[in-house]
Amino acid sequence: MNDKRPRFKPFLKWAGGKTQLLEKLYDEMPESIKSSNEFPLYIEPFIGGGALFFFLKSMFDIDFSIIADINQDLITTYYVVQQHVDDLIVILEKIEKSYLESSPENRTDMYYKVRDRFNLRKDEFKNNITADIAIAHAADMIFLNRTCFNGLYRQNRKGHFNVPEGKYKNPKICQTDVLKDANNALENTRIVIGDFNDIFKYVNEQSFLYYDPPYRPLNRTSSFNSYSKHGFNDDDQKRLASFYRKVDKMGAYQMLSNSDPKSTDPRDDFFDDLFEGFNISRINARRMINSNADKRGSITELLITNY
């Protein structure tokens, strides 16, 4: 590890983010990469908050990266941070000043007006997005992310963001240094919107892929992470396992995280059967998102590698 390198970090809060597990994920990476410091191609098909992406960008000279997600709001925001960060910061500074200087009642009114505007714009721009619209949308995305309940991103069946307002005394909406660092980290990075299958054409034998898909719910009430109106069900988990096996045949390194069904049902072999033949380990994590503080605590997650 090079302590003189910049320490990049996510500019979004994200449910299920991997910040708490970064050292563990690093430890589980291929020794050939860690020892040689050679990192030709990094691919992350479910970028989310990008905790591991930014961490690895701080650790290695990565020749090229590909980050992807099916969430258009998220990918638009990454694109704006990469291409228009200064314009984005100007807008966020104004939003932050207006919000922090408002009364609690006016803050609530502002939050829901921005949320309505955000959802209306989603309906309007579809795939025809100008730079100005993208910048405005990214600013709203970051504002909502910093002021909504627990930093959640959730969509209803219409694809509308529907998370209620959080109650924060002094939220940091415009993180100028973090955004500028993220802009630097996103150099030599292709940003792709789409399903994980869409990135197969970029994979080669020198790739390292990290998958952090929407976790399989451990119970009926734990599926808080529907960041796409399409959801991600067991059939999608099976599609991902098939994709993992297809990439494995190319010789690329792969690491995948997911929930551990055995945490709640020792008889549930869903992932053990799905990824039979690969290395499956269970690591301790802390459940951070729960309205009941008594239910936040340690739980095991799966880490699946093909090396």
Side-chain angles (χ1 to χ4, degrees), residues 83-105:
Q83 299 291 331
H84 306 285
V85 70
D86 291 332
D87 295 326
L88 174 64
I89 288 170
V90 169
I91 296 176
L92 285 174
E93 287 175 340
K94 293 177 181 177
I95 292 175
E96 180 177 86
K97 184 175 186 296
S98 176
Y99 187 79
L100 295 182
E101 291 178 353
S102 297
S103 66
E105 294 78 11

Side-chain angles (χ1 to χ4, degrees), residues 26-80:
Y26 174 81
D27 289 343
E28 296 296 327
M29 287 180 57
E31 289 298 331
S32 59
I33 291 178
K34 291 189 291 184
S35 61
S36 68
N37 202 37
E38 292 183 0
F39 217 132
L41 179 59
Y42 176 75
I43 302 176
E44 189 166 346
F46 303 89
I47 187 61
L52 185 61
F53 167 78
F54 288 114
F55 178 77
L56 294 179
K57 278 283 191 167
S58 302
M59 304 293 297
F60 298 99
D61 292 319
I62 301 176
D63 293 345
F64 197 74
S65 305
I66 297 166
I67 61 174
D69 206 285
I70 201 170
N71 184 328
Q72 186 173 26
D73 301 329
L74 180 66
I75 290 300
T76 297
T77 304
Y78 272 98
Y79 168 79
V80 169

